[in-house]
Amino acid sequence: MADSVPVRCPTCRRENAFTPPTFPCACGAPLTMPVLRGGVPVEILHRTWQSSWVEVRCEVCGRQDEWPAPESGCACGTVVRVPVVPAPAPPPPNFPSPGRTVPQSAAPWATDTPRAVLRPAFRPVTIRTARDCVTAAEQYLKWLGYADVARTQERTASGVDLRGTGVVAQVDPSTRSTKLREIECVWLNGLNDSAIAVFFSLAGYARDARARADDLHIPLFVMDLTGTPQPVNDPADELIKYGAAGR
């Protein structure tokens, strides 16, 4: 979970706490927008496609890609674009001199360091209805490696929406914060199925629900309207990094 940083509104000069968003890199590692501390936020008056994206490098795999530029809203109504640390220029290729043999220990394939799961970029499902929330969560779990996950024929009293080999998931598409009881219900379902329990919420989580999920090591995700789930706690970050194979 990313630490919040202070962002001063250029209109009313109020200082607001801002938590940088985290996105899943194509390599599977969570990528948190590297907010530039001390940077000057810029009020958004006119949106353009080019200014809505920012180039950031993944610290795990080194991939440099474009991501949605982080934005912060103030109580006065001002919306600002938060500056990020500029992506470094790629280093020049370091080719060995002619006739020189690369030692085996220096070869990139000769390392025993474990690597995060490699997977293609997630293709989000735009959320317009409650059914779209379930569809987005289903596609996301498949992207994480739960290939046979599918929605249940009929939602049970326990609230389970998705089941697959080794996973059960509940999706809360309401506009209220997810409560403690719902977290405990999906956890019990996971125990009954000997599976990992995962929760997706559109409106976030109550404080006690979040704390309980951390205690039970339940991955929590928040859905945005683009259909890309965002990790809320450390278990969610781990699930993104290692996928189904790491559970």
Side-chain angles (χ1 to χ4, degrees):
M1 183 66 180
D3 296 329
S4 62
V5 296
V7 174
R8 186 175 297 280
C9 175
T11 302
C12 69
R13 312 303 297 171
R14 178 179 303 172
E15 196 170 78
N16 301 295
F18 173 71
T19 301
T22 299
F23 301 98
C25 178
C27 73
L31 187 151
T32 300
M33 293 293 100
V35 171
L36 181 63
R37 292 183 178 272
V40 179
V42 179
E43 182 179 1
I44 300 175
L45 300 176
H46 303 285
R47 293 184 182 275
T48 64
W49 178 263
Q50 184 176 3
S51 63
S52 297
W53 297 86
V54 64
E55 194 168 303
V56 175
R57 183 173 67 86
C58 176
E59 295 296 334
V60 175
C61 68
R63 178 189 179 96
Q64 200 157 294
D65 213 339
E66 289 190 334
W67 301 92
E71 298 178 1
S72 175
C74 181
C76 73
T78 300
V79 178
V80 298
R81 185 169 293 110
V82 183
V84 300
V85 177
N94 185 20
F95 296 111
S97 303
R100 180 185 172 190
T101 303
V102 179
Q104 185 176 358
S105 59
W109 57 86
T111 176
D112 294 325
T113 305
R115 300 178 64 183
V117 176
L118 297 178
R119 58 175 74 94
F122 175 66
R123 295 179 179 274
V125 177
T126 303
I127 294 177
R128 298 184 179 87
T129 66
R131 189 175 181 83
D132 291 337
C133 285
V134 179
T135 299
E138 178 184 357
Q139 295 303 315
Y140 194 74
L141 287 174
K142 288 181 177 178
W143 179 74
L144 289 173
Y146 298 100
D148 64 346
V149 70
R151 65 183 65 199
T152 55
Q153 294 295 325
E154 184 177 348
R155 198 181 201 217
T156 62
S158 61
V160 171
D161 294 283
L162 299 165
R163 290 185 186 273
T165 302
V167 66
V168 297
Q170 184 171 337
V171 183
D172 183 1
S174 68
T175 55
R176 59 171 179 78
S177 298
T178 298
K179 305 299 183 186
L180 171 64
R181 181 180 179 278
E182 295 171 273
I183 297 297
E184 293 180 334
C185 281
V186 76
W187 175 69
L188 289 172
N189 276 280
L191 285 181
N192 290 337
D193 286 18
S194 298
I196 179 178
V198 185
F199 209 105
F200 297 87
S201 176
L202 189 62
Y205 301 87
R207 181 173 298 178
D208 56 351
R210 163 68 190 278
R212 186 63 170 150
D214 288 345
D215 292 340
L216 299 173
H217 208 70
I218 297 175
L220 301 182
F221 293 90
V222 170
M223 314 282 283
D224 59 31
L225 296 182
T226 68
T228 303
Q230 303 296 333
V232 171
N233 57 359
D234 290 340
D237 287 334
E238 293 173 9
L239 184 58
I240 291 174
K241 186 173 183 179
Y242 300 111
R247 307 302 299 185

